[in-house]
Amino acid sequence: MVEENKNAAIEAEFDWDAFENEDAGFAANRADLEAQYDKTLSTVAEKEVIDGIVISMNKREVVINIGYKSDGIVSLNEFRYNQELTVGDSVEVYVESQEDKKGQLVLSHKKARALRSWDRVNSALENDEIIKGYIKCRTKGGMIVDVFGIEAFLPGSQIDVKPIRDYDIYVGKTMEFKVVKINHEFKNVVVSHKALIEAELEQQKKEIIAKLEKGQVLEGTVKNITSYGVFIDLGGVDGLIHITDLSWGRVSHPSEIVELDQKLNVVILDFDDDKKRIALGLKQLTPHPWDALDAEMKVGDRVNGKVVVMADYGAFVEIAPGVEGLIHVSEMSWSQHLRSAQDFMKVGDEVQAQIITLDREERKMSLGLKQLKQDPWEGVEAKYAVNSKHAAKVRNFTNFGVFVEIEEGVDGLIHISDLSWTKKVKHPAEFTQIGAEIEVVVLEIDKDNRRLSLGHKQLEENPWDVFETIFATDSTHEGTIVEIFEKGAVVALPYGVEGFATPRHLVKEDGSQAKVEEKLSFKVIEFSKAAKRIILSHSRTFEDVKRAEVSEKKKTESASMKKGVKKMKDSLEKTTLGDISELAALKSQLEKGEK
């Protein structure tokens, strides 16, 4: 109630007439006041680029004063290329509208930059000017950069002097660039960040190169890793550590030793006259493993190692980092058969071997595996005595015999003539096969050449002692022709023995020639026990019969003739004597008459 009374009193004391007169006077001067106020403001035309001052900022907007009766508001996203924007900075804006529906001044910084962009880009290229740009996104081969509102291309090779492995880390960053190329026809702009730091690096490079010396140790950063080596950044100068200079030991790939961006000390091994190619070393910073090798190690010692490299001729075994020995394939087994080292071991195998040779000056070592086993030829005379029988395995063939292995390292030869008593073997493949088991008898021991003379047929008695009585000369046997060739035919006889007949002894009684698989009678015309040879003839079986018949006939005729001759002689003798008697009587009578 008290408050209401106070208001009523004030209202009663208020001079409404005076107030109305005063308001009327103010309205009369309003036009003059507005005209004077307008003179203090800038004349702003729409669709025009002008400069303004940043008067305030928040996380979303930037308030800009362009000297107009109201301030403009621009989204902070339009200034993302300029992370250092602060209150008081002068910026260019494009007046889109003096008033929107709310009476607000509408400005755009992005459009202002776009309208002036080509002039600025060309000016930056001509004056070698450093400009700022915002990396918007990644694209094929590089990045897209917002420069003065224009989308420029930043090649991947122009981001930095060192190779870039992760392009995504640059997206959303504001960086300094140089314009390196403009294509006016296609409105393309190419920028480079690398160009900004190359000049500085070039100066550093000259200073480093001038101080390079062989044997100098420098710190570097792993810049790139290849299959053949590692590129090291020495501070603007690149050097190469060849894979062989990374470690004293075997290295399959440089990534086993180093990793990208790793900092390490390297030693300068060599460089060319222009110092453009620099050879670096890493292993040279550590002592050579051979120098640290146990001084007590000697020939005959046993060592353990790991197979690091395989070849057909042998295996390299690492017995300590950087210390390797060669196990030649001939030292892997007592066997003399040609084999590949891969038949005995593979990369990664842990092996034990014996030192055969050791040359510390040449840093070479040869090892052996077979030396860990007893030499099978020691005491061979007792184990494989002459006439002893053994099982062997066929290893190889030659035209003259079969090579067999009784045990690893103990080989022997079965001569082709010692395979069979009866069968004529032209090639061992007709008798056995590689890999087959065969029974043998030791015939002779050649210890110097580590070779046994073996026989197979000696397992049985010599059947030719019996054949000598069965296939005697002029005996006849039934045989089958198994093979015919130019010089004659092979004939299969009883008891598994074979004979030979020449072509003229293969003529049948009717004059035709005998054929393969034909079964005929054959006469033995020659038998040689020493040569194990039987010569046969089919023709003689009927020719001898005819010859015998002719001979018998001749004998009969001869006997008859002899009897006739004798009779004739007897007759002639009688006739002659009678005649003589009569003549004598006649002579006697005549003589008497004369008297």
Side-chain angles (χ1 to χ4, degrees), residues 223-288:
K223 181 178 180 180
N224 192 20
I225 299 175
T226 68
S227 59
Y228 56 86
V230 179
F231 287 94
I232 303 295
D233 182 1
L234 300 174
V237 179
D238 290 346
L240 172 67
I241 306 176
H242 195 269
I243 187 171
T244 57
D245 291 314
L246 283 170
S247 171
W248 292 114
R250 297 263 181 176
V251 179
S252 300
H253 194 277
S255 57
E256 299 174 4
I257 307 296
V258 299
E259 57 185 23
L260 290 171
D261 298 327
Q262 179 182 352
K263 291 186 179 296
L264 43 81
N265 290 329
V266 293
V267 60
I268 297 176
L269 302 180
D270 198 5
F271 47 78
D272 58 13
D273 294 337
D274 297 330
K275 297 182 180 180
K276 292 181 179 179
R277 295 184 180 180
I278 305 172
L280 304 174
L282 183 63
K283 70 180 184 181
Q284 288 78 5
L285 296 175
T286 58
H288 197 289

Side-chain angles (χ1 to χ4, degrees), residues 555-573:
K555 287 180 181 179
T556 304
E557 290 177 352
S558 177
S560 300
M561 186 178 293
K562 286 180 180 179
K563 289 180 181 179
V565 170
K566 184 176 182 184
K567 188 176 182 181
M568 185 180 294
K569 284 182 179 180
D570 293 342
S571 178
L572 288 173
E573 287 178 358

Side-chain angles (χ1 to χ4, degrees), residues 116-128:
R116 294 183 178 178
S117 59
W118 279 104
D119 293 337
R120 289 193 174 184
V121 165
N122 283 281
S123 174
L125 177 62
E126 292 174 2
N127 301 323
D128 199 23

Side-chain angles (χ1 to χ4, degrees), residues 40-53:
T40 64
L41 299 175
S42 301
T43 302
V44 176
E46 293 184 357
K47 314 303 181 186
E48 181 181 25
V49 177
I50 60 176
D51 292 329
I53 303 296

Side-chain angles (χ1 to χ4, degrees), residues 131-318:
I131 59 175
K132 286 186 178 182
Y134 175 79
I135 299 178
K136 297 175 62 176
C137 62
R138 200 181 148 180
T139 187
K140 184 178 180 180
M143 317 291 284
I144 298 298
V145 181
D146 182 349
V147 177
F148 303 133
I150 295 176
E151 289 190 346
F153 178 61
L154 172 63
S157 61
Q158 296 299 314
I159 297 176
D160 204 338
V161 290
K162 60 183 180 181
I164 302 302
R165 290 176 289 278
D166 184 10
Y167 286 82
D168 292 332
I169 63 174
Y170 291 92
V171 175
K173 285 188 175 182
T174 299
M175 298 173 64
E176 292 183 336
F177 302 97
K178 274 189 177 183
V179 179
V180 294
K181 185 178 180 181
I182 297 176
N183 187 320
H184 294 280
E185 181 179 358
F186 297 102
K187 298 289 185 179
N188 290 338
V189 178
V190 179
V191 296
S192 171
H193 177 70
K194 178 181 176 181
L196 297 176
I197 55 179
E198 277 183 335
E200 181 180 351
L201 289 177
E202 189 64 29
Q203 182 61 34
Q204 294 179 6
K205 185 175 179 180
K206 289 179 180 179
E207 293 176 2
I208 294 173
I209 288 178
K211 298 177 182 178
L212 287 182
E213 294 180 4
K214 291 182 181 179
Q216 184 179 7
V217 177
L218 299 174
E219 185 183 54
T221 305
V222 178
K223 181 178 180 180
N224 192 20
I225 299 175
T226 68
S227 59
Y228 56 86
V230 179
F231 287 94
I232 303 295
D233 182 1
L234 300 174
V237 179
D238 290 346
L240 172 67
I241 306 176
H242 195 269
I243 187 171
T244 57
D245 291 314
L246 283 170
S247 171
W248 292 114
R250 297 263 181 176
V251 179
S252 300
H253 194 277
S255 57
E256 299 174 4
I257 307 296
V258 299
E259 57 185 23
L260 290 171
D261 298 327
Q262 179 182 352
K263 291 186 179 296
L264 43 81
N265 290 329
V266 293
V267 60
I268 297 176
L269 302 180
D270 198 5
F271 47 78
D272 58 13
D273 294 337
D274 297 330
K275 297 182 180 180
K276 292 181 179 179
R277 295 184 180 180
I278 305 172
L280 304 174
L282 183 63
K283 70 180 184 181
Q284 288 78 5
L285 296 175
T286 58
H288 197 289
W290 272 88
D291 298 334
L293 193 64
D294 186 359
E296 300 297 324
M297 187 176 289
K298 61 185 182 303
V299 173
D301 287 351
R302 293 188 179 189
V303 293
N304 295 315
K306 183 178 181 180
V307 179
V308 290
V309 175
M310 290 296 303
D312 289 338
Y313 58 84
F316 289 92
V317 177
E318 186 178 59

Side-chain angles (χ1 to χ4, degrees), residues 448-465:
D448 293 336
N449 294 316
R450 303 171 71 91
R451 185 65 55 84
L452 299 176
S453 293
L454 306 172
H456 175 71
K457 69 181 184 181
Q458 287 79 3
L459 293 167
E460 302 173 354
E461 293 184 5
N462 189 351
W464 286 88
D465 294 335

